[in-house]
């Protein structure tokens, strides 16, 4: 009986440690991992990443000036924008500091509205359609700005980026929940 209880105790402790390890790994998800999941969805569907036009990494200066995010609100981030003044593409994933998700979401929403205002008069490269489908999404401590979509090769096809944004959102949510 003692031996049985010892084995049971060891198995119980092993189970608790395993459960804690699994739960703990979810807390360690990075913005880069979530960003990579979104990019992987585009690679799988199109054979290219989400932003084709001179993708430029978002750094601390751009994060602050273009996306209105303070380092006091952000734990981790990863993103790119189109490096062309004629294209509005942006993919940014932010892991907010504890209690700062609303501030991060509001800042990204402000950046999206500014892009809409800036490109409302410049209807090239499918910017109006891209911005119509664009959105800010949140899950747990993460937020993402999704101004993404691959234009059809055939110029006679209708342009609608809703499916691309939905695909990006699904990849974002699955990566955060994993």
């Amino acid at each position: 009986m003692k031996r049985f209880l010892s084995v049971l105790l060891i198995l119980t402790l092993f189970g608790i440690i395993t459960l804690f390890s699994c739960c703990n790994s979810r807390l360690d998800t990075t913005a880069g991992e979530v960003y990579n999941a979104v990019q992987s969805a585009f690679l799988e569907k199109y054979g290219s990443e989400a932003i084709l036009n001179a993708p430029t990494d978002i750094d601390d200066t751009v994060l602050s000036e273009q996306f209105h995010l303070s380092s006091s609100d952000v734990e981790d981030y990863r993103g790119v924008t189109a490096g062309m003044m004629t294209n509005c593409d942006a993919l940014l994933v932010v892991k907010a500091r504890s209690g700062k998700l609303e501030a991060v979401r509001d800042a990204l929403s402000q950046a999206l509205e500014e892009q809409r205002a800036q490109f409302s008069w410049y209807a090239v490269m499918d910017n109006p359609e891209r911005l119509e489908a664009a959105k800010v999404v949140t899950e747990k401590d993460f937020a993402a700005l999704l101004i993404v979509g691959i234009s059809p090769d055939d110029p006679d096809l209708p342009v609608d980026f809703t499916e691309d944004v939905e695909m990006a959102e699904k990849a974002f949510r699955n990566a955060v929940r994993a």
Side-chain angles (χ1 to χ4, degrees):
M1 185 68 162
K2 270 186 165 182
R3 184 176 172 103
F4 174 75
L5 290 175
S6 295
V7 170
L8 185 61
L9 178 63
I10 290 170
L11 289 175
T12 302
L13 288 174
F14 180 74
I16 290 170
I17 291 169
T18 302
L19 180 62
F20 179 73
S21 296
C22 291
C23 294
N24 194 30
S25 68
R26 291 182 183 188
L27 298 176
D28 293 338
T29 302
T30 67
E33 291 168 335
V34 177
Y35 168 90
N36 289 340
V38 175
Q39 290 289 30
S40 291
F42 276 86
L43 283 167
E44 185 176 317
K45 182 174 181 180
Y46 293 107
S48 65
E49 292 190 341
I51 297 180
L52 301 175
N53 298 305
T56 304
D57 286 335
I58 296 170
D59 61 17
D60 292 345
T61 302
V62 173
L63 190 72
S64 172
E65 292 176 3
Q66 184 175 341
F67 297 100
H68 314 293
L69 287 166
S70 164
S71 61
S72 64
D73 294 339
V74 175
E75 181 176 317
D76 184 30
Y77 71 92
R78 177 88 201 305
V80 293
T81 60
M84 302 173 67
M85 294 178 65
T86 57
N87 186 254
C88 64
D89 285 348
L91 169 58
L92 175 59
V93 176
V94 177
K95 185 173 186 179
R97 291 193 188 278
S98 181
K100 298 295 185 172
L101 184 61
E102 186 175 335
V104 168
R105 184 194 65 230
D106 291 348
L108 294 180
S109 294
Q110 178 184 350
L112 175 56
E113 291 310 312
E114 288 172 357
Q115 286 289 82
R116 286 179 173 146
Q118 179 179 348
F119 285 94
S120 65
W121 58 272
Y122 201 66
V124 299
M125 300 181 80
D126 301 320
N127 287 322
E129 294 85 356
R130 195 176 321 279
L131 288 164
E132 182 179 325
K135 62 170 71 172
V136 173
V137 296
T138 60
E139 183 80 26
K140 295 186 180 180
D141 288 335
F142 288 87
L145 174 60
L146 307 172
I147 307 175
V148 295
I150 305 296
S151 296
D153 290 333
D154 183 349
D156 295 330
L157 289 175
V159 178
D160 183 355
F161 297 112
T162 305
E163 285 184 21
D164 285 350
V165 172
E166 288 173 357
M167 176 181 67
E169 180 179 2
K170 180 179 178 183
F172 165 82
R173 292 191 189 287
N174 287 342
V176 171
R177 292 176 185 158

